[in-house]
Structure formats: C-alpha cells, structure tokens
Amino acid sequence: MTSPDHAPGLPGPGGPDGDPAAALEVRGPGALATEQPAGAALAASAQDPAAPAPVPAGGGGQDGAGGGEEPPLSHPKRRPLRTTLIVLVAIAVAAAAGLAATGTLGGKDDDKPQASKGPSATAKVQRTSLTDTQTVDGKLSYGDASTVLAQSSGGGAKPGAGGGSGIVTWVPKAGDTIKRGGDVYRGNQQKTPLLYGNIPFYRTMKSGTSGSDVKILEQNLKALGYDGFVADSTYNDDTAAAVKEWQGDLNREETGTVKPGDAVVAPGARKVSEVKAEVGAALSGTVLSWTATERVITVDLDAQYEDLVKNGTKAQVKLPDGTSVEATVTEVGSPSNAADAGSGDSGSGDSGSGDSDSDKASTLPVELKVKEQKGLGNYQAASVDVTLKSESRKGVLAVPVSALVAKDGGGYALEVVKSSAPNGVEYVPVKLGMFADSMVEVSGAGISEGTVVGVPK
C-alpha cells in the first residue's frame, strides 16, 4: 500500500517506515480484514483513536498470506476517501497527544500542578550600619618630578679650585636617594649639599641677618651635628662659626656667610629620576630632576566630589594585585575646568558634538600619602582604585538590593514571607534610604529586624 503525502511539519499517518497500514491496521497471518462502510469506520475511529483503521478486502497485496493477485476495486473513487480518512485520524491522534503532553486537556484534579508556597530563597531584614562610598581612579607614583638648576659658586672657591660657573666634576645616578647633607652635585670639586626646608636660600646670610631662611639654615646645621649656636632665626657670630666649619667640610672657602647657591633646599629626601648634566661639561642649566622618596597617590577628582576630601580624610587604596592599604589626604588643590585648557581649539572638530572640552567636568588635584610604604609592595608606578567615604548611617534596617520588587505605578515593596497569606507571601510597600555595599536601607509598616523576605535564588 502506498502512503499518502502529508504537509511538512506534521506527523505522517504511517508507522516507522511510512506505511499507514502498519500503524493503523492489525492482521494475523493469512487473514484478511473485513471491510467496513466508510461512515461506520469514521465513527469508530472518532470514538476510539487507538482502534485499527478500516482496510478493504484483499489488502494483503502481492505478498499477502491470501495469495493471488489483488482483486479489482468495486468502487474506484473510495480509495482517495479512505486515504483522506486515515490522514485525518492520524492528525487527530497526534494533536490529542500533544495537548495531553502540555496539560491543555487537563485531567484529574490530583494531576494539576499546585501553586508553590513562598519564594525560592529568602533573607532577613537586618539592623546594621551602612557607609556610602565613592571609588575614583588614582595613580601611584613618587609624585611630580622637579628640576635642579646649576647654582653659582656662591661661597667662593678655594684657591686653585677655579672660578666662574665651573665644570661638572660629579653627579649622582638615576635612582639614587639623596638625604640631608648629601651631595646633589659637585662643581670644581666643591660640594653642593641638600638641606631640608620649604624656602630656598634667596639672599646672603651673615651676622645680623634674621628670618625664616636663617632658621632653616640653623636647624639643618644642628641636624648635621654642628653646634655652639642657638637655632633661633637670628644669624650671629656663633652661627657664623658653625658655618665656617660646615664650609670647610664642603671644600669651600670658609667665609662664615651663606649665599643662595651654597645649598639646594627641598622638603625632604629626594630620589633622582633623571640626570641631565655630564661630568666635564660646563656647570649650567638643568643638572637633574628628582622626586620625593615616598610613593604617593594622586587623583584628579571630579569637582562634584569635592566635599568628600579635606586634609586628613582617610581612604582605601586598592592595588593591581587586589591588596589594599590605607591612605590619608595631605593636599587638595583648586578646581580647574578642562574646558579652559581646550578653549584654544574651539575652531576644530564638529561643533555639534557633545564631547567637546566645554562639556567636560572640572577636576581638582588631590594627593594622598601612605604611611605603611611596605604595603605598596614593589610598585613604582601603577593605576589604583581610591575609595572615599561619603556618608554613614548607623543602626538602620537594610535588605539586599535584590529583594526589592517594583510596584505597578511606581515605588517598591518587599516580598514578606507569611504562612497565613495567599501563596505564603505578602507584598509590603517600603520607603528606600541609603544604598551601600549591595544593601539598601528600608522602612515601612510591618518591616522590622528579622522579617523574612524573598530574594532571587
């Protein structure tokens, strides 16, 4: 028997090999099925989709057990009708099976899925303290480098040492650390030392001179071990005597007076970053550049966060390896607008662009120092994350942010677990407060410490 064609995507009426008789007809060896009227066969199939489909006598074909040739059909037009009925019955059976599989047809009450009671996961409302923070980009380095210019041989050279600007006879190496009293460079073999202070020597100091620069000189002489005078901002004969001793150690003429070029003054020890002068060259221009010896954190802070920083503000600094150290704000500069720097380029670019310099936020420079330098590891320069504390709330009720459920029409609610409520939960409106560390402050009627709420699993 030849299987009828069917539409793509729909199941065929036949069995595994596409033979409709194999799926819809059952016959014993050597037996022929009894033909039924078309109407009776359709009715029977509709009542019992599993019943065998009607097959006309002689359906055994050439290989049937009945033997002989297939008898001619008495009603030639009934074969298409029978084929159509077989297809309809097969489609009906397949459709019914699909509906049953999806539960569309229903079943006994006991077979219906039951509504789940309560959320799949829960959390408790807790009383805690929340701290709002702001994390910004920072840079770890030794700070900005400054240059050292060649000084004139202010104290005068010893006889035979040469005069004028002199010749470079020694310079340090990049990476060297220079401390108080150490040589910054040598010209004509005269040492130019480093002294600590915040005011450079700008005038000649001698007996009778007084002022803050005198005090800086006297404090440094005391720190270097010279004595016999009082560091009181007044340059007297006792100070001059100590200066002569100091000048002798520097291989300078012992004049008892100090001129601007006799020392280089800096806030503290310095780390040489680059050497410009060469031994044997004329002592002039830039000799070297240097930085502080301690690493610092610098931040170009968006001006909107200016209220988060002041001298003494604590911050957490996260290093590239994931470790963190505490830093303290030591300097806050003045805000500068990025648009000011780019105002000269206003004629270039697309005038309709929203990314022009004038749209950029103003920033202010912030410097932070790390007391525990060992905590910075071996990093010489690196990008870091700086977390600033902006606000703290103590003793508030809070839940995970994921516990919030948006309400129709606006606002939020919590899925509160209640055994007496339908489906085991009740949606309780809440008012939100501070957000911090994936938690949110909540308040509302029926919300208290220990209240169990639903959260995503």
Side-chain angles (χ1 to χ4, degrees), residues 32 35 47 108-109 132 135 156 176 187 192 210 218 227 229 249 275 290 298-299 334 354 372 378 394 416 440 450:
L32 294 175
E35 182 179 358
Q47 294 176 1
K108 297 180 180 179
D109 291 342
D132 190 14
T135 300
D176 284 353
T192 300
S210 62
E218 292 178 331
D227 54 18
F229 62 94
D249 293 337
V275 178
W290 58 15
T298 53
V299 174
S334 300
E372 298 297 332
N378 295 324
K394 296 182 178 180
V416 177
V440 58

Side-chain angles (χ1 to χ4, degrees), residues 7 169 180 213 278 304 322 411 422:
T169 56
R180 189 199 321 255
D213 53 345
E278 295 183 3
Q304 65 175 314

Side-chain angles (χ1 to χ4, degrees), residues 130-133 391 401 434-441:
L130 297 180
T131 300
D132 190 14
T133 60
E391 182 183 2
V401 174
M434 177 186 291
F435 287 78
D437 298 329
S438 300
M439 301 289 287
V440 58
E441 177 186 357

